């Protein structure tokens, strides 16, 4: 998107604010380079998740967008204007923290009202008793009260308004933190691992609620997490970050089905993707004792890595595919799914195959197994882990999808 | 100023020094007043007192001259100083072991059972709170040779009364007694904090291991666990005892015949009665050396070994 | 050590502790009893716990009228409150900066705080006295208050406490629009109330009872604090008019003792907490 595109897209959504543009952002702490030049454009109203392992720089990125940390280089624009010199509160953003960060000495009502009181009342008007003297302060307080009640109604936390954070459960605190963010009607919502302190069941529930909240508010959400399920279920687009660099920026399905980097392929998907060492050999790739008919156009002998998702590999003899022979070392029956671990010579880790219990149900640990690798589902990466485009892959992809 | 606030984030782990500005207006506004007051009332005076001790300055005098170590030479040749230093060391040497042991005993006995625990704790702690000057005057009255309660009580059980504050060979120990009376409660609550920090399952383990008698449990669990606290209490009681002044100033004025003269009282008399500021500064430096040596002991030896709170 | 003792050990414990308690309490008992007696009874050779003649009104009236004791008490309140308020105003922002901000000379400043912790009040008395003399501030409230406006101990204590406050709350406050000073007073202070109370008890007890510095800094009787007032009362009365003297002593220790009896646990915790960290 160029500048003019940006303007036209803004004009297209006249009422929609919250376009975020990150340009060449760098940051180091001492000798450690945490962000190595991050570029990212987020459209108004988009839900973008930054996904990555801890230490990849995702939280730092968010803190710089919030204005809590200052970048070494690059800039941040919100709705076309630079916010680099603005304080966090002037950026018209809201942030939800992993620890909720509620003020322990204030009630829920007061907690939610803090951003409004800070914005609407002057320092003098905030003094105790000032409301008795100033009509405008009284009006501002009344309006803040109404806004707090509206938000509380939306989040269904009205009965909790007069409690202190210490008396709330984790899920309730989470809602209050959301309420405090919503009440100021920000251009951009920032969420830093907001669900990671909740138990598994509540996490699934809140996932749906946040997605629904995003739909109803129509505001830009930037969401940081290390949990791929959160990223995959809620986002319009996912930014997979590793070592201070976004490796792939794409919708969730594309991240899963078409990983641009081996690290992305390994990080997303559960159980983990199967990876085999391979070598280019006569128009195909030799791996684990078989030659896969995958044309890379690379010179013979080049080292590559091939990968296939467990649900794409198969033990079904009816499927026509190159087969790698090995031995079943472990089986995990989860009821709906059966995971089979097959040790082969080309790979240090056993290959994982997800199979219908009907097909491989009787295969016992220690028995020989032939793992089929349908080539249309095999990804090829170079030695550095970057995806290699396959020749004639167009035809193959079209046939497949 | 406030507009720069955002660039000063909360400290995160692993944050380096890179990129910190030489002058930071927000930090300066927050920490500046404290720093300035520290320089004016603590660090500056420390330097000045050392410098003054090398001069013949007298308060109000128009000029002063550098006299090198003359003040120190005079001091070490002065009988009053020798007496004062010896008395202070005796005072510390008596008050510290007595008040630490009695404080430990009180803490152990009071914590040994629930009954009347709150009452005892309050009573033993009361002298710590009460204005020492007022209580010193009460003690002086109680120690009066003719109608003081102490002598009346002793005579009632057949022990001859003493001139507690008039007898030169007795007066310092009488002041020690008041010092012990005042310090027991303080040491007691420190020991109590140490006792509550001992995990109760250690006592249960000791019982299972066959330590059935109270003394066995004390030797097996309580004493080893209290060891670091005890060292700590000894050091801070020493520092506090070194600063003995109130009782001496209000009861004996160092008398009779310097028998109860102590360092701070000598310093006070020289500096604020005779206004021999330079000489009093030299006395202060000596006093400071002792206190700093004790503090250093605490910082470098004890802080590594104590693990309460 | 919460188990109960056997009957013999229990009786032994009470005997020893009650005997100790009697000694600890004896000055307080003597003080109060004496403040209720006439001079003739005080100077008699047999001590009675119960006054034969009640002389309380006369003694306490003498204590309050022959010296401006109430003024001394008021001075004590003014000085201790002013010192505590200034200490908090100075120490809290500094403690916040040391605990939660990243700035160039933070390590140096914290080192200075640790160093200053070792300096006893008495060591700085001479230069501070000379300074106040040169500034013409001796014999003023300022001379009683200003030297204690800085409490490095308070800074140290509050910094340790602030370190435990999560960074996220501070970030949330910044996003909500608070200035750094706003964060100190609206976020850090409310979370630190227990530590501030402990420090307050420590500070008030220390300065209400302080004798050394007021003795040096003020000579004007209108500025006397209670310890100084009592000491001069004794001098004036040549130390023999015991009834009023004991009445005055009783009055001087009353505020702290009542505070202690009302909030015993907090006082003991405050002194223990601060004693442990000092």
């Amino acid at each position: 998107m160029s500048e003019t595109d940006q303007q036209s897209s803004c004009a297209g959504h006249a009422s929609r604010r919250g376009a975020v543009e990150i340009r060449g952002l760098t940051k180091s702490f001492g000798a450690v380079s945490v962000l190595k030049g991050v570029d990212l454009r987020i459209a108004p109203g988009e839900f973008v998740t930054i996904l990555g392992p801890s230490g990849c720089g995702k939280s730092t990125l968010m803190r710089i967008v919030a204005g809590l940390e200052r970048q070494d280089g690059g800039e941040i624009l919100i709705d076309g204007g630079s916010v680099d010199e603005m304080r966090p509160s002037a950026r018209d953003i809201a942030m939800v923290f992993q620890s909720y960060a509620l003020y322990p000495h204030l009630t829920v009502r007061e907690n939610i009202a803090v951003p409004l009181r800070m914005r609407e009342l002057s320092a003098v008007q905030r003094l105790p008793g000032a409301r008795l003297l100033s009509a405008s302060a009284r009006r501002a307080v009344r309006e803040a009260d109404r806004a707090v009640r509206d938000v509380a109604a939306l989040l269904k936390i009205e009965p909790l308004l007069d409690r202190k954070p210490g008396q709330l459960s984790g899920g309730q605190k989470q809602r209050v933190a959301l309420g405090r963010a919503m009440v100021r009607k920000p251009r951009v919502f920032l969420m830093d691992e907001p669900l990671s302190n909740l138990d598994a069941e509540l996490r699934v529930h809140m996932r749906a609620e946040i997605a629904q909240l995003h739909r109803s508010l129509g505001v830009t959400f930037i969401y940081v997490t290390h949990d791929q399920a959160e990223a995959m279920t809620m986002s319009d687009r996912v930014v997979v970050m590793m070592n201070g660099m976004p490796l792939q920026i794409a919708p969730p399905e594309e991240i899963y089905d078409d990983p641009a980097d081996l690290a992305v392929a390994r990080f997303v998907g559960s159980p983990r993707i199967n990876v085999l060492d391979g070598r280019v050999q006569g128009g195909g790739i030799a791996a684990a004792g078989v030659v896969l008919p995958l044309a890379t156009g690379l010179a013979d002998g080049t080292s590559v890595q091939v990968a296939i998702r467990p649900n794409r590999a198969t033990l079904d003899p009816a499927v026509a595919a190159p087969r790698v022979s090995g031995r079943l070392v472990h089986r995990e029956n989860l009821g709906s799914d059966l995971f089979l671990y097959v040790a082969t010579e080309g790979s240090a880790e056993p290959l994982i195959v997800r199979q219908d219990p009907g097909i491989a149900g009787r295969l016992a640990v220690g028995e020989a197994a032939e793992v089929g690798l349908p080539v249309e589902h095999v990804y090829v990466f170079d030695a550095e882990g970057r995806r290699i485009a396959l020749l004639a892959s167009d035809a193959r992809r079209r046939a497949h999808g | 100023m406030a507009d720069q606030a955002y660039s000063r984030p909360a400290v995160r782990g692993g944050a380096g020094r890179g990129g910190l500005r030489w002058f930071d207006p927000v930090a300066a506004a927050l920490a500046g007043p404290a720093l300035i007051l520290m320089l004016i009332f603590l660090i500056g005076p420390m330097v000045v007192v050392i410098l003054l001790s090398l001069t013949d300055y007298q308060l109000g005098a128009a000029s002063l001259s550098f006299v090198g170590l003359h003040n120190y030479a005079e001091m070490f040749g002065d009988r009053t100083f020798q007496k004062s230093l010896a008395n202070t060391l005796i005072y510390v040497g008596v008050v510290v072991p007595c008040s630490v042991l009695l404080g430990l005993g009180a803490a152990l006995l009071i914590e040994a059972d629930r009954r009347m625990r709150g009452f005892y704790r309050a009573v033993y702690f009361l002298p710590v709170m009460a204005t020492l000057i007022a209580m010193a005057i009460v003690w002086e009255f109680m120690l009066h040779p003719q109608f003081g309660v102490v002598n009346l009580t002793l005579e009632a059980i057949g022990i001859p009364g003493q001139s507690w504050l008039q007898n030169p060979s007795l007066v310092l120990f009488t002041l020690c007694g008041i010092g012990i009376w005042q310090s027991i409660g303080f040491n007691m609550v420190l020991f109590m904090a140490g006792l509550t920090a001992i995990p109760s399952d250690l006592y249960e383990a000791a019982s299972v291991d066959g330590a059935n008698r109270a003394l066995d449990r004390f030797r097996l669990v309580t004493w080893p666990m209290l060891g670091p606290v005890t060292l700590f209490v000894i050091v801070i009681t020493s520092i506090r005892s070194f600063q003995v002044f109130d009782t001496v100033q209000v009861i004996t004025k160092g008398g009779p015949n310097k028998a109860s003269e102590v360092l701070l009282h000598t310093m006070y008399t020289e500096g604020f009665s005779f206004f021999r500021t330079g000489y009093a500064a030299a006395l202060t430096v000596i006093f400071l050396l002792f206190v700093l040596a004790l503090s250093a002991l605490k910082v470098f030896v004890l802080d590594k070994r104590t693990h309460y709170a | 050590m919460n188990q109960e003792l056997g009957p013999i050990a229990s009786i032994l414990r009470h005997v020893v502790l009650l005997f100790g308690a009697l000694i600890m309490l004896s000055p307080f008992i003597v003080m109060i009893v004496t403040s209720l007696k006439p001079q003739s009874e005080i100077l008699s050779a047999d001590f009675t716990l119960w006054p034969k003649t009640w002389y309380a009104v006369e003694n306490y009236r003498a204590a309050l009228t022959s010296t401006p004791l109430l003024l001394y008490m008021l001075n004590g309140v003014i000085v201790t409150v002013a010192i505590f308020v200034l200490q908090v105003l100075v120490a809290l922002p500094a403690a916040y900066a040391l605990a939660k901000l990243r700035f160039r000379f933070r390590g140096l400043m914290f080192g200075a705080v640790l160093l200053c912790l070792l300096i006893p009040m008495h060591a700085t008395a001479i230069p501070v006295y000379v300074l106040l003399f040169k500034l013409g501030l001796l014999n003023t409230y300022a001379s009683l208050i200003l030297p204690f406006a800085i409490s490095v101990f308070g800074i140290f204590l509050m910094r340790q406490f602030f370190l435990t406050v999560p960074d996220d709350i501070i970030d949330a406050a910044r996003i909500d629009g608070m200035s750094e000073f706003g964060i100190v007073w609206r976020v850090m202070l409310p979370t630190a109330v227990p530590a501030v109370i402990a420090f307050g008890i420590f500070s008030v007890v220390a300065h209400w009872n302080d004798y050394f510095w007021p003795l040096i800094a003020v000579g004007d009787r209108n500025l006397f604090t209670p310890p100084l007032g009592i000491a001069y009362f004794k001098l004036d009365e040549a130390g023999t008019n015991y009834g009023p003297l004991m009445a005055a002593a009783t009055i001087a220790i009353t505020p702290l003792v009542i505070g202690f009896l009302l909030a015993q646990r907090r006082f003991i915790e405050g002194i223990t907490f601060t004693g442990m960290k000092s």
Side-chain angles (χ1 to χ4, degrees), chain A residues 336-359:
Chain A
S336 59
D337 286 320
L338 177 62
F339 291 112
L340 298 143
Y341 291 69
V342 179
T344 62
E345 53 177 297
S347 162
E349 300 269 291
L351 298 178
I352 306 171
V353 182
R354 195 184 85 184
Q355 200 73 63
D356 246 322
I359 289 172

Side-chain angles (χ1 to χ4, degrees), chain C residues 207-228:
Chain C
H207 292 109
W208 179 271
N209 290 339
D210 184 25
Y211 177 63
F212 182 78
W213 182 252
L215 178 68
I216 292 169
V218 296
D220 179 350
R221 297 212 161 189
N222 289 323
L223 294 172
F224 276 10
T225 56
L228 215 47

Side-chain angles (χ1 to χ4, degrees), chain C residues 3-17:
Chain C
Q3 77 277 26
E4 299 205 338
L5 294 172
I8 296 169
S10 175
I11 289 169
L12 222 63
R13 168 179 176 268
H14 282 303
V15 168
V16 175
L17 284 176

